[in-house]
Amino acid sequence: MNTVPAEVVKHKVSSDLKERKLSQIEIAEKTGLARQTVASILASDDYFSKKHAVLFSLAFGYNRDFLRKGEGRMLSEESDYGKEIKIEYQDRLIDILRRATDVSSMVNALVLRDGRESCLDLLRRVQIMNNFVSAVKYFPQLYVNRDENPPHNTELMDAAVKLFTPVYDELIQIMRDRYGLDAEVHF
């Protein structure tokens, strides 16, 4: 198993806490430590002690092995925070899948109604959309910059939604404008 150096562990934890917009005082309150102790822990280039790893794990959902030895993922999937991230990720993925399925069904209805030849442009666009959706669905655990991310990276899903939405909106608009399909869209 690959291990991450202690200074990288501290950097990742510090960055994560900043992303969560937590002050040192809030971190201290959640861990039961003094603010100065929190500052000292995060500033050092050593791994977390057993005690501090337990406190940070309980308060923020970090994987204790990651904090103590640099092994495994930063976040524990069993923690409340890890579960929350997983649910948020899966909700967004399900929404993308539902929207892609709805558009595909509408395009199939148009092909049946108007014929394949008149719908080739739509079919190409749907194929591109479905290829993108397949990549997001079947390869969710992508690693950015060779760093191990949480198993369900919400930043990745934010990017997927930003890329998917314009393609989806364009397909709906084409079906309305060119084919007179009154697509009812629900978000």
Side-chain angles (χ1 to χ4, degrees):
M1 175 178 280
N2 292 335
T3 60
V4 177
E7 59 272 6
V8 174
V9 169
K10 291 292 178 78
H11 174 74
K12 287 180 175 234
V13 169
S14 295
S15 295
D16 182 64
L17 293 168
K18 285 178 187 174
E19 283 181 30
R20 297 188 201 190
K21 298 180 179 19
L22 293 171
S23 68
Q24 286 187 351
I25 293 172
E26 292 168 316
I27 296 166
E29 288 172 359
K30 288 181 182 271
T31 58
L33 299 168
R35 188 202 62 76
Q36 294 85 355
T37 303
V38 168
S40 176
I41 291 168
L42 295 176
S44 80
D45 285 339
D46 297 326
Y47 288 112
F48 284 75
S49 69
K50 185 175 182 179
K51 174 188 171 185
H52 294 150
V54 168
L55 294 173
F56 274 73
S57 174
L58 292 172
F60 306 109
Y62 295 122
N63 174 353
R64 291 178 194 175
D65 287 337
F66 179 79
L67 298 177
R68 291 191 29 90
K69 302 179 261 182
E71 295 176 351
R73 298 181 182 281
M74 182 173 67
L75 292 176
S76 168
E77 284 192 65
E78 290 78 37
S79 71
D80 289 342
Y81 185 74
K83 290 175 185 174
E84 190 178 303
I85 293 293
K86 183 176 182 178
I87 289 169
E88 182 180 338
Y89 181 96
Q90 290 176 339
D91 281 347
R92 290 181 183 176
L93 177 60
I94 288 168
D95 184 57
I96 287 175
L97 295 171
R98 181 194 52 78
R99 292 165 63 189
T101 301
D102 289 348
V103 166
S104 295
S105 295
M106 289 185 268
V107 169
N108 286 339
L110 287 171
V111 169
L112 288 173
R113 185 186 80 183
D114 297 348
R116 186 178 189 285
E117 291 301 317
S118 67
C119 298
L120 282 177
D121 181 48
L122 274 179
L123 289 169
R124 277 192 288 268
R125 291 170 190 263
V126 167
Q127 182 178 12
I128 292 168
M129 177 192 68
N130 286 332
N131 288 343
F132 173 77
V133 170
S134 291
V136 172
K137 178 180 175 186
Y138 294 112
F139 304 104
Q141 297 184 22
L142 297 179
Y143 298 94
V144 180
N145 298 327
R146 303 186 72 115
D147 289 340
E148 202 161 328
N149 291 315
H152 296 91
N153 186 338
T154 56
E155 289 179 17
L156 173 67
M157 192 50 66
D158 288 342
V161 169
K162 284 181 184 176
L163 291 170
F164 175 81
T165 300
V167 173
Y168 172 83
D169 291 344
E170 182 181 33
L171 279 163
I172 293 292
Q173 195 62 46
I174 290 170
M175 286 187 287
R176 284 183 180 149
D177 293 348
R178 290 189 200 163
Y179 298 93
L181 187 67
D182 187 21
E184 193 171 311
V185 182
H186 301 286
F187 297 105

